[in-house]
Amino acid sequence: MLHLRLIVPADRTQAVLHLVEDTVGTTHLAVLTGAARDPQGDVITCDVAREAADGLLHELRALGIDRDGAIAVENIDLSLSDRADRAEREAPGEGVDAVLWESLTDATHEESTLSVTYLAFLTLATMLAACGVVLDNAILIVGAMAVGPEFGPLAGVCTALVRRAPRLAWRALLALVVGFAVAMAVTVGFSLLMDAAGLFKESQVEGARPNTSFIWQPDPMSFVVALLAGAAGTLSLTSAKSGALVGVAISVTTVPAAANAAVAFGYSSYKQAWGSTEQLLLNLLGIVVAGTLTLLAQKLFWAGRKRVRG
């Protein structure tokens, strides 16, 4: 269940009350007349089943409540109420399958921000992966994959394509392009510094690396894995199963590929650098394609399940 707290202009209170009462899956409706001061209006609270929330939020925004009032949504961890149980049973579908498009758009917008923290995480992950590829250490590669924050902007691109939000798309693409460019540039300098200190050697990069050579040798399976990871990652975001993102992060080789390209470029091993770049682009493309198709499938699935009490 979700808890909605609304600040509603007085002239729209009745319209909002009718909307909430007519929406399948709502309960615990309360009205505090004139309680809001900034902005002025009435405070309306209710609980709504997750699978019914997206339609209700859409209608509330159509009434301009987000512009002239406020809409706040909170997850309810525990609700001991027969009415809440009945509301969840009446709502169409299952809550775990529901997509809150407003929440998804807001979350991906935040995760797609080109911030100092985002750049720091991506750069550190790429440098960590550089140590992994030079040492041929799979554990370091897995650690770097888990640290990398690149799935946020990738999810932002998918959401923007489905929601037709060009500003979000450009924001996410900027974070991806600038983020990887900065991370790879810093990693080139890092690898040269490590070489000067005697910790990296060209022979390690050019030699046999049975544990990490796949990073610069893309094949059809690379794209297949990226497709599966993109679908799984998108489902984890839309269903609030965020724990699955860890598995998604360590199943694709975006950060390791960027790191290997940077290290190989520093040693003028352009064949490896190009192969790693192909691996990186293949993974990014696969995730975006699968993520977008997953969101489209969910949108079509739920389009036919929305209903209103009559």
Side-chain angles (χ1 to χ4, degrees):
M1 295 288 288
L2 300 174
H3 180 68
L4 268 62
R5 186 179 71 255
L6 313 173
I7 296 179
V8 181
D11 62 334
R12 272 164 276 183
T13 296
Q14 289 303 315
V16 170
L17 289 176
H18 287 311
L19 174 62
V20 173
E21 290 172 342
D22 289 343
T23 300
V24 175
T26 59
T27 188
H28 301 157
L29 177 61
V31 183
L32 301 175
T33 304
R37 291 292 179 266
D38 184 20
Q40 290 188 344
D42 302 328
V43 174
I44 298 176
T45 66
C46 69
D47 295 340
V48 57
R50 180 183 172 88
E51 54 270 40
D54 188 65
L56 178 57
L57 291 173
H58 178 76
E59 294 298 329
L60 288 170
R61 294 195 68 178
L63 290 173
I65 306 305
D66 56 323
R67 295 191 312 271
D68 305 321
I71 303 173
V73 183
E74 301 173 335
N75 283 303
I76 300 176
D77 294 327
L78 176 64
S79 180
L80 302 178
S81 166
D82 288 343
R83 289 180 177 273
D85 294 340
R86 185 166 62 249
E88 288 190 312
R89 289 194 301 268
E90 292 175 350
E94 296 294 333
V96 71
D97 296 330
V99 181
L100 295 179
W101 291 102
E102 298 296 340
S103 176
L104 178 63
T105 303
D106 184 69
T108 52
H109 183 276
E110 181 178 349
E111 293 296 325
S112 300
T113 301
L114 184 62
S115 63
V116 174
T117 301
Y118 168 80
L119 287 174
F121 268 115
L122 188 56
T123 301
L124 290 171
T126 307
M127 293 165 66
L128 182 61
C131 295
V133 297
V134 172
L135 299 176
D136 196 34
N137 189 316
I139 295 177
L140 291 177
I141 294 296
V142 170
M145 290 175 175
V147 171
E150 73 280 5
F151 192 82
L154 289 169
V157 173
C158 299
T159 304
L161 291 175
V162 174
R163 299 278 284 175
R164 299 179 182 178
R167 293 184 62 183
L168 177 57
W170 283 114
R171 187 186 188 95
L173 288 172
L174 180 67
L176 282 172
V177 174
V178 175
F180 273 110
V182 171
M184 293 172 72
V186 172
T187 301
V188 170
F190 171 72
S191 64
L192 294 176
L193 180 63
M194 294 290 281
D195 180 79
L199 298 175
F200 281 7
K201 297 179 182 179
E202 185 175 1
S203 59
Q204 292 175 297
V205 178
E206 297 292 349
R209 288 186 285 147
N211 293 323
T212 57
S213 60
F214 70 93
I215 292 173
W216 59 276
Q217 296 174 339
D219 56 28
M221 279 304 299
S222 300
F223 189 67
V224 171
V225 170
L227 288 173
L228 297 175
T234 302
L235 283 174
S236 74
L237 288 177
T238 58
S239 65
K241 297 290 185 180
S242 58
L245 278 178
V246 177
V248 172
I250 61 177
S251 63
V252 291
T253 54
T254 47
V255 166
N260 199 84
V263 172
F265 184 84
Y267 284 118
S268 300
S269 180
Y270 299 123
K271 181 180 179 181
Q272 271 201 49
W274 176 245
S276 300
T277 302
E278 286 184 329
Q279 180 78 274
L280 172 62
L281 296 176
L282 201 61
N283 276 268
L284 294 177
L285 177 62
I287 292 172
V288 169
V289 169
T292 302
L293 291 177
T294 300
L295 289 177
L296 285 173
Q298 290 178 295
K299 186 175 182 180
L300 292 174
F301 175 77
W302 279 99
R305 306 201 63 156
K306 291 181 180 178
R307 56 184 178 177
V308 179
R309 279 202 301 257

